[in-house]
């Protein structure tokens, strides 16, 4: 049976496990808040269900608690940073704080972050930037298991490589586009598998390269020990975007790309991220930018709504609506995810309540 917990209680429980796994109380609070915010935003794939994976990665040595971002090179408006396998929620926030300060000073900043452990929801970092009035672009690669097949390929060759663009809108909530370049996020397959659900046709191929609707093919090894794979969104276009994320997030940052068989048992998830920050005020187009952006969004909304839709929405709206609803009604955790979280707690000597 699923559990429903209020955000505050969930944050406290997750933080207790993270502390037992070696994090300082301050670090645990930040990581727990980030995971619970993903649940609140409607992205359970990047929420507290990641806790067991994080605990395993810490115990294995691939994720290093209490680790800060390291500046490799700093030429003012360009920053080369290394996350040193620290919690992505920590080194990612530290990296963004550095990048935001530079963009405010110079008008823009190009920041690379290599070797961060799982950064979670990339939108979190764009939200930090748009809160300061900055435009924020992010290209990310994922080294854990090659779960996505290239367009025209029949096995997984790379990760779910997310891309994110945040644009501040004067007097309005920001445009916040944040998505995996796979047709769906891998974590959503874990959630569907745990809930015993089939997924949309066209999402997956099995371990033989054949279409399937069984999310288990990318969650548990199949009969031949191999996994199936996710497909890219948008056919060749989404695939091209994913390759761009690998080239920019993995190669340009120095974090590393996919090019060799991997050990599927390794639990760490390593993200590389290229971030580009722009201050519209320093670009000299601030007034026209504000005016034209709002006019365009009003224009979009003024159109007729298609059958089967309630409204034309902007990216970022579904997450904000989910936050209101889940803050009020609580966060539902499916039974398997909760069992996995309890087991993760037990591995570090914590008994999760409830
Ligand atoms: P998704 O398919 O739900 O798409 C989300 C995006 O689409 C959001 O910007 C949302 O506001 C927008 N959107 C949704 N419905 C809309 C509508 N009706 N109209 C307009 N816009 C709409 O998300 P996803 O691809 O499953 O990704 C989920 C999360 O997973 C993201 O936060 C992503 O950063 C994260 N992720 C992280 C990693 C990692 O390694 N750290 C890897 C992959 C994905």
């Amino acid at each position: 049976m699923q559990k429903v917990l209020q955000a505050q209680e969930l944050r406290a429980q997750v933080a207790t496990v993270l502390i037992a796994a070696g994090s300082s109380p301050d670090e645990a609070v930040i990581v727990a808040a980030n995971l619970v915010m993903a649940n609140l935003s409607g992205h359970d794939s990047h929420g507290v269900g990641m806790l067991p994976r994080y605990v395993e990665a810490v115990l294995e040595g691939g994720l290093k608690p209490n680790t800060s971002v390291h500046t490799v090179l700093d030429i003012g408006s360009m920053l080369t940073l290394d996350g040193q396998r620290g919690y992505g929620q920590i080194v990612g926030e530290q990296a963004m704080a550095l990048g935001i300060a530079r963009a405010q000073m110079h008008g823009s900043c190009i920041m690379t972050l290599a070797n961060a452990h799982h950064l979670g929801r990339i939108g979190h970092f764009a939200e930090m930037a748009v809160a300061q009035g900055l435009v924020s672009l992010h290209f990310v690669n994922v080294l854990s298991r090659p779960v996505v097949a290239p367009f025209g390929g029949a096995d997984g060759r790379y990760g779910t490589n997310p891309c994110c663009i945040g644009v501040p809108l004067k007097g309005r909530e920001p445009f916040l586009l944040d998505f995996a370049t796979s047709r769906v996020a891998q974590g959503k397959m874990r959630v569907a598998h745990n809930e015993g659900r089939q997924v949309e046709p066209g999402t997956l191929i099995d371990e033989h390269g054949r279409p399937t609707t069984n999310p288990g093919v990318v969650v548990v090894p199949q009969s031949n020990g191999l996994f199936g794979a996710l497909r890219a969104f948008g056919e060749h276009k989404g695939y091209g975007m994913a390759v761009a994320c690998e080239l920019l997030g993995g190669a340009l940052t120095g974090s590393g790309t996919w090019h060799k068989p991997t050990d599927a048992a390794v639990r760490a998830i390593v993200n590389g991220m290229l971030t580009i920050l722009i201050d519209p005020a320093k670009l000299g187009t601030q007034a026209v930018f504000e005016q034209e952006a709002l006019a365009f969004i009003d224009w979009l909304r003024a159109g007729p709504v298609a059958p089967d839709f309630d409204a034309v929405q902007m990216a970022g709206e579904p997450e904000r609506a989910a936050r209101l609803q889940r803050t009020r009604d609580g966060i539902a955790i499916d039974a398997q995810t909760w069992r996995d979280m309890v087991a993760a707690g037990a591995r570090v000597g914590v008994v999760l309540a409830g």
Side-chain angles (χ1 to χ4, degrees):
M1 215 179 66
Q2 72 173 19
K3 284 185 75 68
V4 179
L5 289 134
Q6 288 300 319
Q8 197 180 350
E9 187 187 348
L10 200 49
R11 277 193 288 267
Q13 299 235 36
V14 170
T16 309
V17 176
L18 291 168
I19 291 168
S23 288
S24 68
D26 285 352
E27 173 166 288
V29 164
I30 293 169
V31 176
N34 181 291
L35 292 175
V36 172
M37 180 54 90
N39 289 105
L40 284 173
S41 308
H43 293 293
D44 295 323
S45 54
H46 289 71
V48 298
M50 293 303 297
L51 183 67
R53 182 88 188 241
Y54 288 2
V55 169
E56 287 167 17
V58 170
L59 295 176
E60 222 175 59
L63 163 56
K64 305 200 182 305
N66 312 315
T67 300
S68 292
V69 79
H70 167 66
T71 302
V72 180
L73 207 63
D74 174 359
I75 60 160
S77 62
M78 288 177 111
L79 288 172
T80 309
L81 307 175
D82 191 323
Q84 308 188 100
R85 296 287 190 118
Y87 275 99
Q89 290 81 356
I90 301 295
V91 296
E93 283 194 8
Q94 291 171 341
M96 284 305 296
L98 290 171
I100 287 168
R102 295 311 169 85
Q104 287 168 331
M105 197 182 301
H106 302 290
S108 66
C109 177
I110 294 175
M111 183 259 282
T112 61
L113 174 63
N115 303 311
H117 192 262
H118 192 235
L119 288 161
R121 257 186 76 242
I122 305 305
H124 177 73
F125 304 112
E127 282 163 3
M128 287 177 70
V130 295
Q132 303 299 321
L134 303 175
V135 171
S136 195
L137 289 79
H138 308 262
F139 301 89
V140 181
N141 86 324
V142 193
L143 298 180
S144 63
R145 192 155 57 74
V147 286
V148 187
F151 184 65
D155 73 350
R157 292 271 141 178
Y158 63 91
T160 53
N161 294 4
C163 178
C164 175
I165 301 174
V167 181
L169 299 170
K170 191 176 170 58
R172 308 254 183 108
E173 295 288 358
F175 170 82
L176 217 307
L177 180 64
D178 173 27
F179 60 86
T181 50
S182 50
R183 203 161 286 205
V184 291
Q186 157 73 6
K188 289 194 171 133
M189 298 298 92
R190 170 175 49 78
V191 174
H193 176 68
N194 286 348
E195 292 174 358
R197 282 189 283 115
Q198 296 289 299
V199 300
E200 286 278 305
T203 306
L204 295 165
I205 53 174
D206 69 15
E207 68 281 16
H208 306 292
R210 294 180 303 230
T212 178
T213 56
N214 169 20
V217 298
V218 288
V219 180
V220 288
Q222 301 301 293
S223 51
N224 55 2
L226 298 175
F227 288 90
L230 291 158
R231 286 180 156 153
F233 88 97
E235 310 299 338
H236 55 290
K237 303 179 195 185
Y239 164 56
M241 192 81 204
V243 174
C245 285
E246 193 76 21
L247 298 177
L248 300 175
L252 188 63
T253 61
S255 200
T257 64
W258 284 108
H259 48 76
K260 53 181 186 247
T262 52
D263 180 355
V266 169
R267 304 309 284 157
I269 305 167
V270 178
N271 282 149
M273 175 165 77
L274 170 71
T275 296
I276 300 169
L277 296 157
I278 304 166
D279 184 350
K282 293 234 174 24
L283 204 55
T285 60
Q286 179 90 13
V288 66
F289 162 60
E290 287 171 356
Q291 194 184 329
E292 288 296 319
L294 296 188
F296 176 61
I297 285 163
D298 290 343
W299 164 259
L300 288 178
R301 290 196 203 277
V305 176
D308 302 329
F309 283 80
D310 296 330
V312 171
Q313 294 193 73
M314 298 305 301
E317 273 184 68
E319 286 74 16
R320 290 191 286 272
R323 281 175 203 171
L324 286 177
Q325 186 256 318
R326 291 183 174 198
T327 300
R328 185 186 63 224
D329 302 339
I331 296 165
I333 313 275
D334 70 83
Q336 184 59 47
T337 299
W338 183 253
R339 275 195 293 277
D340 292 345
M341 289 173 64
V342 169
R347 289 196 69 183
V348 290
V350 171
V351 179
L352 283 186

